[in-house]
């Protein structure tokens, strides 16, 4: 087979959830039916790798030093909501129940996978939460075992520094991942959030 | 969300079988955990789009005018095996029962999807099969409805030009796609091929 086709098939396997068969199928599809899409994806990957960084304040993906939301003067700077991923942040925004700011961990504590406090940027969170303006930290990690353990760890860490910490109410189904929960449920959980 | 991250998510949806959720998941994964993989995939896509063409003889993907197999003097030039995809060709090669050359349709007749004779390069196949050296054309399209219809159409077309045409024996399960059939079954079907 053509060398650059083999290389493409190999590279497609770097995508999560893509095995050898589907990588080959994707490569053939792009070359046979969608070369424009392939070129577009090539440019998009290059551009993203070159330009996307982490927000200095909330740690989410952004092309600027500080992301649009952190720079938005209309948000309530006394509230800081901690989420695992940008997708979770999007879900919470869709509920229209929260007007504060965010901190995006980009992960969760997972000792079995070797993911510890440093990997989810807890020092950055600590500095952010202790800015003297934040009055309440709302923990909105997933209600999975790992998400709960992460929330517990962060809660202890922040309360030791005298910060008020709350947790989304258990309107979110136990074991549920925020990204897959309907906005109504998250809205209720946000309104019912309790201190921890 | 960062513009170039949105653009990347959109571009990933051009991959077959990738919906909005998995595109987002892929984009986050690459930026968070595998920027090297993202850069590699970007280069691989660019390279493939720039350098991969169709073999002038067999129509498969190649970076040269004529692919390695068509240029291989050791292959039996009297036999021409017609397959739907390069993956099918790889499967047949793995059976070690065939030493002739190939023609890769890059598809199959599918009137419902608007795929007609021109889309599967039947004029190119006709010119190739009528080179005066090919003595038998072995039809190895899939044993699906569309693959069978394609084989029938090609068979009629080539026999009208006085060419000998055979079909893989029905050792391949009816409804089966070659790519997913074990090599032993394909080997038996190759040995039992019958004229049509
Ligand atoms: Zn930010
Ligand atoms: Zn060739």
């Amino acid at each position: 087979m053509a060398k650059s086709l083999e290389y493409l098939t190999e590279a497609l396997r770097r995508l999560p959830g893509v095995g050898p068969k589907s990588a080959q199928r994707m490569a053939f599809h792009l070359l046979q039916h969608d070369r424009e899409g392939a070129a577009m994806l090539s440019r998009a990957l290059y551009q993203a790798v070159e330009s996307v960084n982490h927000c200095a304040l909330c740690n989410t993906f952004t092309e600027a030093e500080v992301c649009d939301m952190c720079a938005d003067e209309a948000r309530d700077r006394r509230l800081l909501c901690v989420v695992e991923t940008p997708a979770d942040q999007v879900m919470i925004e869709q509920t229209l129940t929260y007007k504060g700011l965010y901190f995006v961990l980009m992960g969760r504590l997972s000792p079995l996978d070797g993911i510890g406090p440093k990997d989810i940027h807890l020092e950055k969170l600590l500095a952010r939460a202790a800015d003297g303006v934040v009055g309440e930290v709302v923990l909105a990690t997933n209600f999975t075992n790992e998400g709960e353990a992460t929330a517990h760890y962060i809660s202890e860490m922040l309360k030791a520094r005298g910060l008020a910490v709350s947790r989304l109410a258990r309107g979110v189904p136990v074991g549920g991942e925020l990204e897959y929960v309907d906005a109504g449920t998250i809205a209720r959980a946000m309104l019912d959030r309790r201190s921890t």
Side-chain angles (χ1 to χ4, degrees), chain A residues 34-157:
Chain A
D34 194 13
R35 283 176 179 242
E36 197 192 312
M40 176 186 166
L41 181 52
S42 172
R43 286 191 303 271
L45 286 160
Y46 179 79
Q47 204 177 95
V49 167
E50 290 296 307
S51 68
V52 174
N53 307 300
H54 293 274
C55 174
L57 290 177
C58 75
N59 199 45
T60 198
F61 293 122
T62 178
E63 280 140 343
E65 174 74 10
V66 167
C67 78
D68 287 352
M69 192 177 294
C70 287
D72 183 353
E73 295 290 338
R75 309 287 305 200
D76 184 349
R77 314 187 90 72
R78 292 164 301 179
L79 285 173
L80 187 69
C81 180
V82 177
V83 292
E84 294 183 15
T85 68
D88 295 338
Q89 179 181 357
V90 167
M91 285 302 294
I92 291 176
E93 280 299 295
Q94 282 172 11
T95 71
L96 305 175
T97 55
Y98 181 74
K99 290 296 167 210
L101 291 172
Y102 290 89
F103 187 89
V104 185
L105 299 171
M106 295 287 176
R108 65 213 62 92
L109 289 178
S110 180
L112 290 178
D113 301 320
I115 300 172
K118 272 190 187 169
D119 301 301
I120 59 170
H121 315 280
L122 293 194
E123 284 188 24
K124 190 171 174 180
L125 168 59
L126 192 57
R128 176 70 188 84
D131 71 346
V133 180
V134 171
E136 179 188 348
V137 176
V138 184
L139 300 177
T141 53
N142 286 317
F143 282 69
T144 56
N145 286 340
E146 290 176 349
E148 291 279 28
T150 304
H152 180 74
Y153 188 98
I154 293 173
S155 175
E156 296 300 311
M157 179 183 85

Side-chain angles (χ1 to χ4, degrees), chain A residues 8-23:
Chain A
L8 173 57
T9 306
E10 204 184 302
L12 284 163
R13 296 199 52 195
R14 299 290 279 260
L15 296 170
V18 174
K21 279 277 179 195
S22 46

